[in-house]
Amino acid sequence: MSSPQGRPRDVIPPQLLKGQKALVTGANSGIGRATAVALGKAGADVVVNYVTGAEEAEAVAEEIRSHGVRAAAYEADVSDEGQVVTMTNRMIEEFGTVDILVANAGLQRDAPLTEMTLAQWREVIDVNLTGQFLCAREVTKEFLRRGVVPEVSRAAGKIICMSSVHQIIPWAGHVNYAASKGGVQMMMGTLAQELAPKKIRVNAIAPGAIRTPINRDAWNTPEARAELQRLIPYERIGEPEDIAYAAVGLASDLFDYVVGATLFVDGGMTLFPGFATGG
Ligand code: NAD
């Protein structure tokens, strides 16, 4: 989907997150990669989590370091409790603390209901929902231990859950994925309510159609792009930076009063575009 608007311009204030430590899961690809780089450009030190693809993860860390901040690539499967605990403790030991979690890691295992195996159902729930729960739980222990450091941020910690427009739009053939994101919606709201008195802000981003490897089939042919564009009032597919910039904003004190919100970054996909000419 070509767009006269082109790719997003780089407009990140370089000191916005100065002195903060960010953990981004699934950060060697797509949205996670762009978000990790953007947080680094905004002045944060960044841990680039990955489960496969060590070389890509190291390249992301290298790119982040070129902006004058610290970065390191840590391997961990977010659905494995022990590995998440080890990763978080290592970050606290090596970086001093953690201020920002972007719980981004996710995957799809698509099938019609009658062909979907229990393994496919479980893998998606384990990574997309349980993985976010485990990472949120571990960083929150550190947020509570440290409390607010006013020179660093008005909040004791910020958690950003990567959801999807499919937290509200049902999606035939993807029941495991849609259920996982619906779960993220309620997990995020519940954690936001539970942790707000502790000055921990929990929010979510719900991307629409973003050009990444997870949905290549939806944008890599002209027919697929035309089909997709019918669903997007803004008439362009999203770029990973569209999500990354939203994450930088939500993580920053500019958004300090935003608690328990889902920010839809979707070019209007959730505006019922089918009703633009009818109804
Ligand atoms: P992607 O496939 O490029 O990235 C997903 C990342 O998650 C990869 O780095 C992958 O290795 C990692 N990952 C998978 N399982 C993991 C595990 N067990 N432990 C640690 N990391 C793991 O796809 P993306 O589009 O960048 O997706 C990022 C997030 O955005 C996902 O949560 C996805 O559901 C969400 N999202 C994407 C879109 C889109 O259009 N691309 C739309 C809505 C939501």
Side-chain angles (χ1 to χ4, degrees):
M1 198 177 300
S2 67
S3 156
Q5 295 170 292
R7 289 183 72 86
R9 282 186 306 127
D10 204 343
V11 288
I12 301 174
Q15 303 292 315
L16 192 61
L17 300 174
K18 192 172 159 37
Q20 302 201 41
K21 322 287 177 191
L23 169 60
V24 184
T25 65
N28 58 337
S29 175
I31 290 170
R33 179 191 181 115
T35 301
V37 170
L39 290 166
K41 285 182 180 170
D45 297 327
V46 184
V47 167
V48 175
N49 159 256
Y50 68 98
V51 66
T52 54
E55 265 178 42
E56 289 93 337
E58 192 42 57
V60 178
E62 188 60 44
E63 183 179 349
I64 295 169
R65 285 193 288 268
S66 76
H67 298 289
V69 295
R70 288 182 66 193
Y74 288 5
E75 182 183 347
D77 176 346
V78 296
S79 67
D80 183 302
E81 183 174 29
Q83 293 184 34
V84 171
V85 171
T86 302
M87 171 173 70
T88 314
N89 289 344
R90 180 179 168 197
M91 177 169 180
I92 295 163
E93 203 175 298
E94 294 180 2
F95 283 74
T97 191
V98 52
D99 302 279
I100 298 162
L101 166 68
V102 183
N104 165 79
L107 44 73
Q108 290 180 214
R109 296 289 181 261
D110 309 329
L113 175 62
T114 53
E115 290 164 29
M116 187 174 287
T117 63
L118 181 58
Q120 286 174 317
W121 169 268
R122 282 196 175 136
E123 185 180 5
V124 171
I125 299 293
D126 283 356
V127 173
N128 295 12
L129 182 57
T130 308
Q132 293 202 10
F133 157 73
L134 290 170
C135 292
R137 188 187 70 187
E138 290 312 303
V139 299
T140 296
K141 291 176 186 171
E142 171 63 7
F143 297 163
L144 294 173
R145 183 200 65 76
R146 174 179 32 73
V148 176
V149 180
E151 309 78 63
V152 175
S153 174
R154 297 180 74 182
K158 281 82 56 140
I159 295 173
I160 297 169
C161 300
M162 203 54 71
S163 187
S164 163
V165 290
H166 295 297
Q167 72 169 36
I168 56 168
I169 303 177
W171 202 17
H174 306 74
V175 66
N176 46 3
Y177 185 85
S180 75
K181 297 301 187 181
V184 166
Q185 177 183 23
M186 194 47 81
M187 179 184 72
M188 184 282 293
T190 299
L191 295 183
Q193 187 193 63
E194 184 172 325
L195 299 174
K198 308 288 184 194
K199 304 294 171 251
I200 296 166
R201 293 195 296 114
V202 187
N203 291 287
I205 296 173
I210 310 300
R211 195 194 309 266
T212 76
I214 208 173
N215 60 357
R216 194 184 304 277
D217 292 349
W219 51 260
N220 74 347
T221 65
E223 300 74 34
R225 281 198 298 279
E227 181 77 6
L228 185 56
Q229 185 161 336
R230 286 193 307 109
L231 302 174
I232 308 171
Y234 208 45
E235 295 187 344
R236 72 169 173 86
I237 190 167
E239 301 295 340
E241 290 81 4
D242 288 308
I243 307 303
Y245 297 167
V248 168
L250 271 177
S252 80
D253 280 2
L254 293 174
F255 283 61
D256 186 59
Y257 208 50
V258 179
V259 175
T262 296
L263 181 55
F264 285 83
V265 185
D266 66 354
M269 197 177 232
T270 40
L271 296 173
F272 298 96
F275 280 79
T277 54

